[in-house]
Amino acid sequence: MGEAGRGEARGGGRTSGQAAASCPRGPSAAAAPDPLLPLEAADAPPDAWDPASALLSLWTCRFYLYLGFAVGLGVWICVQVLSRQVKKSQERSIPKATQDLMTNGYTTLPKKQIFVSGVKIFYGSQTGTAKGFATVLAKAVTSLDLPVAVINLKDYDPDDHLAEEVTSSSVCAFLVATYTDGRPTEGAEWFCKWLEEASSDFRFGRTYLKGMRYAVFGLGNSAYPSHFNKVGKNVDKWLWMLGARRVLARGDGDCDVVRSKHGSIEADFRAWKTRFVCRLQALQRGEKSCGGKCESKQHSSEDVEPAPHPGAALRHGDTKVGKNVDKWLWMLGARRVLARGDGDCDVVRSKHGSIEADFRAWKTRFVCRLQALQRGEKSCGGKCESKQHSSEDVEPAPHPGAALRHGDAKEEEPCESSSEEEFGADDHGGLSPVVDVEDLGKMMSLAKKEKREEEQQEERSSFRNRGKKEGVEGRAMLTPALREALTKQGYQLIGSHSGVKLCRWTKSMLRGRGGCYKHTFYGIESHRCVEATPSLACANKCVFCWRHHTNPVGTEWRWKMDQPEKILEGAVQSHLDMMKQFRGVPGVKAERFEEGMKVKHCALSLVGEPIMYPEINRFLQLLHQRKISSFLVTNAQFPAEIRNLKPVTQLYVSVDASTKDSLKKIDRPLFKDFWHRFLDSLEALATKQQRTVYRLTLVKSWNVDELQAYADLVSLGNPDFIEVKGVTYCGESAASSLSMANVPWHEEVVRFVRELVALIPDYEIACEHEHSNCLLVAHRQFKIDGEWWTWIDYGRFQELIQEYEDSGGLKTFSTKDYMAKTPPWAVFGARERGFDPRDTRYQRKSRSKDLSGC
C-alpha cells in the first residue's frame, strides 16, 4: 500500500473515531487511533456509521447523561412546587362564591336550583264561582313568573296523573265547592270518590303522595252548618292521609255574608290568595318554613279520624294477656293506679261498640287519674269513675293469689280496684301475706285450673243454640261504630249484616286495562262482576286479612237476619249506583260501561263467611234466577253447611296452611276443633259434582315449606282446580305482624307450584296471571287433546241450573257439562303471562309501590 493509501487509512481511522474523540480522554487521544477498533472499522470508508462504536461512546459518557437527567428532574420539581404555591395564593385572594364558578379553568354560569317549577290549579265548580277564582289565582301566580295550568277536575284522571305530582316541583292548589247535602259538584265527583277510596285502601298506603305539595280552598255556605265546606275539608284530609304535604292551611270561603270572616266569599278568597302567593314566594326562595303562619291552622279532631290505639288490652275473645300482665305486675309489688281496661275487637260484644271506643273510655279515666296524681292526690274523689258510663264499664278481673299482695288493702285509693274487687274475697281465705317460694307453683296451677274452668263456662254461655225459634230475633250485626268504620273503607252496607264494594279490577276493565285473575282462569268479565257478601261476620281472624279485622267475628249465626230478596236487590242496586259514577270519567270505554250496567257474575268473597248466612241457598237460587253466576268462598270451618249447599258455579275453599299448627298460626280460628272442621270441610268438598277449587295463599316464612302436607290435603278433597297466590301485603296493622318480607316474588310462587305439581301426578299447571302473582293448577280431566278447558260456559251453566231447580234437584250435572276452552294467551307459558291482549296494560308512573293483588 502506498503513502496515499496509508494516509487514507489513517484518515479513515480518525473519521470513524470522531464520536469517541468527542469525549476527550487526554492530549494524545485525538491524534492516535483507538487501538480497540477492529480492523474492519479502521479500513472502513469515512462516511460509514458504526452502531457498536456509538453505543460504546454512550457507555463511556454515561456519567454526563445521569447528571443531565438529574438536573432536568430537579428543575421540573421546582416548577411544580412554585406553580402550586402561586395557585394557592390566588385562591386565597378569590372569594369562595367566585371559586364555585370556576370549572376546568373556564368560568361557567351558576346552575340555579328550582324550588317551584310551576303551579297547577284544580277546580270543581257547579255555578262557575270556583272556576272564576281559579282564573284570578292563575293571574296572580303568573305575576311571579311561574308557569300555571288551570285544570277542570271533570277532565282529570287522578288514577293516571296524580302520582306524577310526587316527583314534580310544582305546587297544586285545589278550589272545590260543596254542593247539595255536602256532596261534591258533578265535575269533581269522580275525583273525590277516587281520593276517598285511595285514602282508605291499604294498597296505596300513607306514603303514596309523599312529596306532593298542595293547598285547598273550599267554597261553601255556613247556613248549612252540617255540610259547610265538607268537600274542601275532605279533599284536604284525604290528600294528607296519602302523604301529601300541606303548604298552606285550608281556606274556607263562606257565601253567607253575615258569617263570612271577611264579609263575603270573594273577600275570603282574596285573603287566602294573598297568603298563597306569599307562601309561593317563600317556596321560590327555598324556604321550608313560613314562620308558622301557614301551618297554624291544622286539622281539628273531627277532620282526621284517629287511628286505632292498642293502649288498652286488645281483646280477641278474651283479654288474657292484659289480665296476666296486670296480675304479674301486681304480684311483683307494683301499684295499680287505675283498673285494667278491656278493649274488645268484637263490635257485637264490645261494651262501647268498638275497640276504639273502649280505648277512648279507658283513656279518659287514665288522663283523669294522671291529673289527680299530678296534684299529689292519692284519691281522685271518684271523678275518674263518675265520668264514665257506669260502674260496669270497669270489669274487675278475678285474679287468684291475692295473698301475694304486699300491704293492706285498706291503703288502696278509691280510684284503684281493691283486692276484693280484683281477686274476690274468697281468694284470701286463710292465706298468709307472705308466701313461700315453694308454694308459688301450687298457686299458679290453681290459677290456671280456675282460668280453664272460666273459659269453658264462658264458651258454653256465649254460643247460642242453632235450634232457636225463628220468631226470636237477635241484635243487629252492624253496630253504629262498625257501620262508620266499614263505610269509610268504601263499603256499601245492606240491611244489618251484608255489604258490597266495587272491585278495583272492575274499574280497571272499564278502562280497558285488564281484568282480574278470574278473567284469565275462568272467563269472568270483571266489569260485570259484583263483589258482595251476605254475612260480614267470620269465624277466623287471618293474619293476612286485607280488611284489617273491622268485620265482626263469630262461630254461629246469632244476629238479626235480613231476607235474601232484600240483600240481593240491595247488592245489585248499590253496585249499579257505584258504576254510574264512572259515566263520563276520562278513560272509561263507553261499550264497557254499558256492559257493566248488566250484572253477570257475583263473587261472594268480599269479607266474612258467606256460608254462615242461614238463607244462603235461597240467596244463590235468586242469583241464578237473574242469570248471575255464583263464585262462593268459604274458610273450611263449616263442613255441614258445605254438604247442604246447593250447586254453585264454582265453590272455593281457602287452604291457608297444611298442618294444624300453621293453620292456627295463620288463620287464628275461633273454633276449638278447627282442625277437625278443616279436614271435614275438605272431605265434604270431594262430594260436590260442580267445580271446586282449593285456594292457597303463600306467606313466605309461614307456609311455603309444607309441600308434602299440601299434597296430602289435595288427595283428601280432590278439587278440580288449585289456585296458588302470593299473599298481598295489606299495610301495617296492630292485628297482623306481616311485612313486605312475607310477600313471595312471582318466580318463587312459580317454583312452589312446580314442586307441588311434581307431588300430585293428576294435576298440571294450566294458567297464569302474573299481575296478581297467581297460578292455576288444574286436574288433567280439563286437558282435552292437549288443550286446556278451564273457562266456563256461563250460558250453559244457567241452563243446567234451571233444569236442576225445575226437577227439584233430581236432574244433576257435573263440572264437565259447562266447561269452555281456555284461550291461548291465558295458558301458562304464553308470552302474555295471563294478560288479555285486547286490553292495554297500564304501569303506574313515578311510583315503585306495587298495587297488585286482591
Side-chain angles (χ1 to χ4, degrees):
M1 179 182 293
E3 186 67 23
R6 289 192 297 268
E8 185 178 356
R10 288 194 296 267
R14 286 193 297 269
T15 302
S16 62
Q18 286 179 355
S22 63
C23 298
R25 300 179 185 176
S28 62
D34 194 336
L36 299 177
L37 289 176
L39 295 176
E40 291 83 358
D43 297 336
D47 295 335
W49 180 77
D50 186 4
S53 61
L55 292 174
L56 184 62
S57 299
L58 291 176
W59 173 251
T60 56
C61 300
R62 61 186 181 276
F63 173 77
Y64 299 99
L65 294 177
Y66 295 158
L67 180 62
F69 177 78
V71 172
L73 180 62
V75 172
W76 181 83
I77 293 174
C78 293
V79 171
Q80 292 296 322
V81 172
L82 290 175
S83 63
R84 289 188 179 184
Q85 290 180 351
V86 172
K87 186 176 181 180
K88 288 183 179 180
S89 63
Q90 291 177 348
E91 289 178 353
R92 285 194 294 266
S93 63
I94 299 176
K96 189 177 185 304
T98 307
Q99 296 178 26
D100 295 337
L101 304 181
M102 303 295 295
T103 304
N104 296 328
Y106 296 94
T107 303
T108 59
L109 293 175
K111 184 178 180 181
K112 185 177 180 182
Q113 185 175 359
I114 300 176
F115 297 100
V116 180
S117 61
V119 177
K120 293 183 179 180
I121 304 173
F122 301 87
Y123 70 89
S125 181
Q126 192 73 25
T127 61
T129 305
K131 181 179 180 180
F133 286 169
T135 304
V136 174
L137 183 61
K139 293 180 180 178
V141 174
T142 305
S143 64
L144 302 178
D145 294 329
L146 287 173
V148 183
V150 180
I151 303 172
N152 188 349
L153 288 175
K154 182 179 181 180
D155 304 323
Y156 185 76
D157 189 353
D159 199 28
D160 288 352
H161 304 295
L162 192 58
E164 297 175 0
E165 308 304 331
V166 173
T167 55
S168 69
S169 301
S170 60
V171 176
C172 300
F174 294 88
L175 280 58
V176 288
T178 301
Y179 200 43
T180 308
D181 296 330
R183 299 198 310 270
T185 59
E186 293 180 1
E189 189 172 6
W190 162 243
F191 176 83
C192 294
K193 182 67 176 177
W194 182 92
L195 207 59
E196 179 183 12
E197 292 181 354
S199 65
S200 60
D201 193 332
F202 67 85
R203 289 174 297 233
F204 288 87
R206 303 271 177 164
T207 60
Y208 181 70
L209 295 180
K210 186 177 181 180
M212 174 183 172
R213 297 177 291 180
Y214 76 96
V216 177
F217 180 80
L219 294 80
N221 194 325
S222 59
Y224 306 95
S226 60
H227 304 303
F228 176 58
N229 267 331
K230 184 176 181 179
V231 175
K233 293 177 181 178
N234 286 339
V235 169
D236 189 20
K237 176 181 67 175
W238 295 329
L239 289 171
W240 175 79
M241 291 174 65
L242 287 171
R245 183 167 69 90
R246 186 189 308 107
V247 298
L248 186 66
R250 186 188 68 249
D252 291 333
D254 195 348
C255 290
D256 191 336
V257 295
V258 178
R259 301 181 181 180
S260 173
K261 292 182 180 180
H262 303 89
S264 67
I265 193 172
E266 291 80 7
D268 293 336
F269 172 72
R270 285 194 296 269
W272 180 84
K273 180 192 69 174
T274 302
R275 296 197 304 272
F276 181 73
V277 173
C278 176
R279 183 69 179 118
L280 277 182
Q281 292 173 334
L283 291 173
Q284 280 184 299
R285 295 190 297 267
E287 299 177 8
K288 294 183 179 181
S289 173
C290 58
K293 298 179 182 179
C294 303
E295 300 295 339
S296 59
K297 182 180 179 183
Q298 299 299 330
H299 283 304
S300 63
S301 59
E302 65 180 5
D303 289 341
V304 182
E305 181 70 15
H309 295 280
L314 304 182
R315 180 169 177 176
H316 298 286
D318 187 15
T319 52
K320 183 176 182 180
V321 176
K323 290 179 180 178
N324 286 340
V325 170
D326 187 24
K327 176 183 66 176
W328 295 331
L329 289 172
W330 178 83
M331 292 172 66
L332 289 172
R335 184 167 67 92
R336 184 189 305 105
V337 298
L338 187 67
R340 185 191 69 252
D342 290 336
D344 196 341
C345 289
D346 190 340
V347 295
V348 178
R349 299 180 181 180
S350 173
K351 293 179 180 178
H352 303 91
S354 67
I355 192 171
E356 290 83 4
D358 293 337
F359 171 74
R360 287 193 292 268
W362 179 86
K363 181 189 69 174
T364 303
R365 297 197 300 272
F366 180 72
V367 172
C368 175
R369 183 67 181 122
L370 280 181
Q371 293 173 339
L373 292 173
Q374 281 183 306
R375 295 189 296 267
E377 301 175 6
K378 292 185 177 181
S379 171
C380 58
K383 297 178 181 179
C384 299
E385 303 300 332
S386 62
K387 287 189 176 183
Q388 302 309 314
H389 317 88
S390 64
S391 60
E392 65 179 4
D393 288 345
V394 181
E395 181 183 355
H399 290 294
L404 296 176
R405 181 92 185 204
H406 301 286
D408 193 354
K410 293 181 180 179
E411 297 179 0
E412 299 294 335
E413 295 82 7
C415 240
E416 304 179 37
S417 42
S418 64
S419 300
E420 288 80 2
E421 291 173 338
E422 280 292 323
F423 305 106
D426 296 338
D427 294 334
H428 290 273
L431 292 177
S432 171
V434 181
V435 181
D436 195 292
V437 176
E438 296 178 357
D439 296 331
L440 287 177
K442 297 179 181 179
M443 297 189 64
M444 296 306 296
S445 299
L446 178 62
K448 291 180 180 179
K449 180 179 179 181
E450 293 179 354
K451 182 63 178 178
R452 287 194 298 268
E453 293 176 353
E454 178 188 351
E455 290 178 350
Q456 293 173 0
Q457 184 176 359
E458 289 180 357
E459 182 179 357
R460 287 192 297 266
S461 61
S462 62
F463 296 157
R464 299 184 179 181
N465 192 342
R466 286 178 178 264
K468 278 192 171 184
K469 296 181 180 180
E470 296 182 0
V472 179
E473 292 185 347
R475 61 190 298 185
M477 180 187 296
L478 294 176
T479 62
L482 180 58
R483 282 184 176 275
E484 181 181 1
L486 291 174
T487 301
K488 285 184 177 181
Q489 296 181 32
Y491 289 87
Q492 296 294 320
L493 302 179
I494 306 161
S496 62
H497 54 74
S498 306
V500 63
K501 189 177 182 181
L502 205 62
C503 176
R504 85 174 188 92
W505 289 109
T506 300
K507 308 172 189 177
S508 176
M509 204 160 189
L510 282 173
R511 300 182 177 191
R513 295 179 177 177
C516 67
Y517 71 89
K518 294 187 183 71
H519 172 64
T520 300
F521 296 170
Y522 315 118
I524 272 187
E525 298 174 87
S526 302
H527 61 301
R528 303 183 66 181
C529 181
V530 177
E531 190 178 19
T533 181
S535 171
L536 290 164
C538 187
N540 290 345
K541 296 184 75 66
C542 304
V543 295
F544 52 76
C545 178
W546 65 297
R547 311 301 180 184
H548 287 312
H549 309 134
T550 49
N551 56 306
V553 293
T555 56
E556 62 181 1
W557 192 269
R558 61 177 185 269
W559 302 280
K560 177 182 178 181
M561 189 186 71
D562 299 328
Q563 294 302 312
E565 291 82 3
K566 175 184 177 181
I567 297 174
L568 179 58
E569 185 63 33
V572 173
Q573 188 59 48
S574 297
H575 175 81
L576 294 179
D577 290 342
M578 290 185 288
M579 289 287 292
K580 290 177 183 178
Q581 299 175 1
F582 285 86
R583 187 187 300 274
V585 170
V588 172
K589 295 186 175 182
E591 64 276 9
R592 293 275 178 94
F593 178 80
E594 295 301 326
E595 291 173 354
M597 296 303 292
K598 301 174 183 178
V599 177
K600 186 177 181 181
H601 315 286
C602 181
L604 298 173
S605 59
L606 179 61
V607 69
E609 182 63 82
I611 208 169
M612 283 182 66
Y613 177 51
E615 292 292 335
I616 184 63
N617 281 325
R618 175 59 181 161
F619 183 81
L620 293 170
Q621 185 180 15
L622 294 173
L623 275 176
H624 299 153
Q625 288 178 0
R626 291 196 176 201
K627 306 301 179 183
I628 299 175
S629 64
S630 53
F631 291 76
L632 189 145
V633 179
T634 177
N635 289 320
Q637 290 295 298
F638 297 91
E641 285 75 5
I642 293 177
R643 288 188 173 91
N644 298 329
L645 192 69
K646 288 189 175 182
V648 296
T649 308
Q650 190 158 282
L651 177 61
Y652 289 81
V653 168
S654 295
V655 182
D656 301 325
S658 58
T659 64
K660 183 177 180 179
D661 292 338
S662 58
L663 185 68
K664 182 178 182 179
K665 182 180 178 181
I666 293 177
D667 279 5
R668 297 188 295 184
L670 272 65
F671 283 107
K672 302 294 183 181
D673 58 340
F674 66 92
W675 183 246
H676 173 73
R677 287 176 169 272
F678 178 75
L679 298 179
D680 198 10
S681 296
L682 299 185
E683 292 177 353
L685 193 74
T687 64
K688 295 297 177 181
Q689 299 182 28
Q690 291 74 42
R691 296 166 66 105
T692 56
V693 183
Y694 275 11
R695 188 167 69 170
L696 276 62
T697 302
L698 299 186
V699 186
K700 190 188 295 186
S701 302
W702 288 58
N703 63 356
V704 295
D705 300 324
E706 305 169 350
L707 283 167
Q708 186 57 54
Y710 277 118
D712 295 339
L713 293 180
V714 170
S715 62
L716 186 64
N718 293 319
D720 296 318
F721 305 98
I722 305 171
E723 292 178 2
V724 184
K725 183 180 184 298
V727 67
T728 300
Y729 178 58
C730 306
E732 296 181 358
S733 170
S736 175
S737 60
L738 294 186
S739 65
M740 283 300 297
N742 299 114
V743 180
W745 294 97
H746 186 64
E747 290 74 14
E748 294 175 311
V749 176
V750 173
R751 183 169 62 251
F752 176 90
V753 172
R754 290 184 186 275
E755 295 175 356
L756 177 63
V757 168
L759 300 176
I760 44 178
D762 293 333
Y763 294 84
E764 292 183 22
I765 305 177
C767 302
E768 175 187 27
H769 192 250
E770 181 194 25
H771 194 51
S772 293
N773 198 11
C774 187
L775 277 83
L776 179 68
V777 177
H779 197 280
R780 288 182 176 176
Q781 64 176 327
F782 294 94
K783 194 172 187 180
I784 302 175
D785 297 332
E787 296 180 326
W788 286 108
W789 288 65
T790 64
W791 277 35
I792 299 174
D793 186 342
Y794 295 100
R796 180 57 182 160
F797 171 80
Q798 297 299 342
E799 295 175 359
L800 295 171
I801 195 67
Q802 187 62 47
E803 295 175 358
Y804 173 86
E805 294 292 346
D806 293 342
S807 64
L810 298 178
K811 189 173 182 179
T812 61
F813 58 98
S814 66
T815 181
K816 290 185 177 181
D817 295 330
Y818 58 102
M819 62 182 182
K821 185 178 178 181
T822 308
W825 58 264
V827 176
F828 178 71
R831 178 179 56 86
E832 294 83 358
R833 307 202 73 174
F835 189 85
D836 194 337
R838 295 175 299 178
D839 293 333
T840 303
R841 186 162 185 176
Y842 172 73
Q843 300 287 351
R844 294 182 181 273
K845 301 178 182 179
S846 304
R847 303 300 289 171
S848 59
K849 186 178 181 67
D850 182 17
L851 301 183
S852 64
C854 304

